[in-house]
Amino acid sequence: ETGVTQSPTHLIKTRGQQVTLRCSSQSGHNTVSWYQQALGQGPQFIFQYYREEENGRGNFPPRFSGLQFPNYSSELNVNALELDDSALYLCASSQGRDGTEAFFGQGTRLTVV
Amino acid sequence: AQSVTQLGSHVSVSEGALVLLRCNYSSSVPPYLFWYVQYPNQGLQLLLKYTTGATLVKGINGFEAEFKKSETSFHLTKPSAHMSDAAEYFCAAHGQNFVFGPGTRLSVLP
């Protein structure tokens, strides 16, 4: 158990819909990063939030957006879902901007049909 | 930009045999290096990491890895495989964020 919880664990959406994924960071952590892991691939960095501000973004389109709240929990929002968005979405929490001491949640499995 | 390669998408070993999973990184500045394990339908669990100092790093479950700057490698080893080691293994480099390799699926045969 890492103390990082993600919800929901699974969900199915239709192409074109919008989805919100949630992550509660480990106590004492102020940084949250999101990763997309397509089937059979390694995780890909989406973006990172540090103290409620975006602190780095990977090569993902603007329809991927996020938020970090004052309690350092975070949301990942994806608009206009595409079939290729089907993946495991992982959240990692850490203390400090560099994010190396990261703990990963169990992930949310998103299926777009 | 950093990149991480893992030679062999699937490795099979017999129980009790040596496990060797290969990882090479591409970076002008050696990054922090990590190995994570992922069991089916689960998140990532840290096995070990190299930041600075001793180049031979010991991790959990009997795994260790050696950082070799001259070879830009960070291979993962375990002297004796156990059935419970069967999982997906990811090597990762961290500069500003984690850059993961494509993963190696380890199968352990009885």
Side-chain angles (χ1 to χ4, degrees):
Chain A
E1 293 286 329
T2 64
V4 181
T5 58
Q6 294 186 240
S7 62
T9 54
H10 298 81
L11 76 166
I12 300 174
K13 289 287 189 178
T14 303
R15 188 171 49 183
Q17 285 187 316
Q18 178 266 342
V19 69
T20 297
L21 310 182
R22 295 178 176 83
C23 172
S24 294
S25 57
Q26 183 160 309
S27 178
H29 285 183
N30 55 16
T31 301
V32 171
S33 304
W34 287 92
Y35 292 81
Q36 181 196 66
Q37 185 180 14
L39 197 61
Q41 297 183 25
Q44 301 287 320
F45 174 67
I46 303 175
F47 43 57
Q48 180 187 81
Y49 279 84
Y50 171 67
R51 291 188 173 183
E52 302 180 58
E53 293 192 358
E54 189 176 289
N55 181 44
R57 187 180 181 93
N59 189 27
F60 280 81
R63 59 189 185 83
F64 285 78
S65 63
L67 279 174
Q68 188 177 31
F69 300 99
N71 66 355
Y72 302 129
S73 65
S74 177
E75 287 183 353
L76 164 65
N77 299 289
V78 187
N79 293 321
L81 283 167
E82 301 177 0
L83 297 179
D84 285 349
D85 296 332
S86 296
L88 181 69
Y89 288 84
L90 295 166
C91 162
S93 84
S94 57
Q95 173 60 27
R97 188 186 292 269
D98 71 2
T100 54
E101 294 286 337
F103 294 87
F104 284 82
Q106 298 290 81
T108 293
R109 173 74 63 187
L110 172 65
T111 303
V112 182
V113 298
Chain B
Q2 288 177 0
S3 67
V4 176
T5 56
Q6 294 181 240
L7 185 63
S9 59
H10 186 201
V11 170
S12 292
V13 300
S14 297
E15 192 173 19
L18 171 72
V19 176
L20 171 60
L21 304 182
R22 300 178 186 274
C23 172
N24 289 87
Y25 67 92
S26 172
S27 173
S28 58
V29 176
Y32 293 167
L33 295 164
F34 300 75
W35 275 99
Y36 283 90
V37 62
Q38 186 176 40
Y39 297 98
N41 299 313
Q42 294 192 25
L44 301 173
Q45 180 183 4
L46 178 66
L47 280 177
L48 49 78
K49 64 181 180 183
Y50 169 79
T51 54
T52 59
T55 56
L56 181 63
V57 181
K58 295 186 184 299
I60 63 171
N61 302 337
F63 285 95
E64 61 182 39
E66 186 171 11
F67 169 65
K68 292 187 176 180
K69 183 178 178 180
S70 61
E71 299 178 6
T72 61
S73 69
F74 190 57
H75 302 329
L76 181 71
T77 60
K78 182 174 180 177
S80 177
H82 191 271
M83 298 295 288
S84 61
D85 295 328
E88 189 85 21
Y89 290 80
F90 293 96
C91 181
H94 192 288
Q96 294 179 321
N97 53 266
F98 283 102
V99 175
F100 288 89
T104 297
R105 182 159 58 93
L106 175 66
S107 297
V108 182
L109 308 174

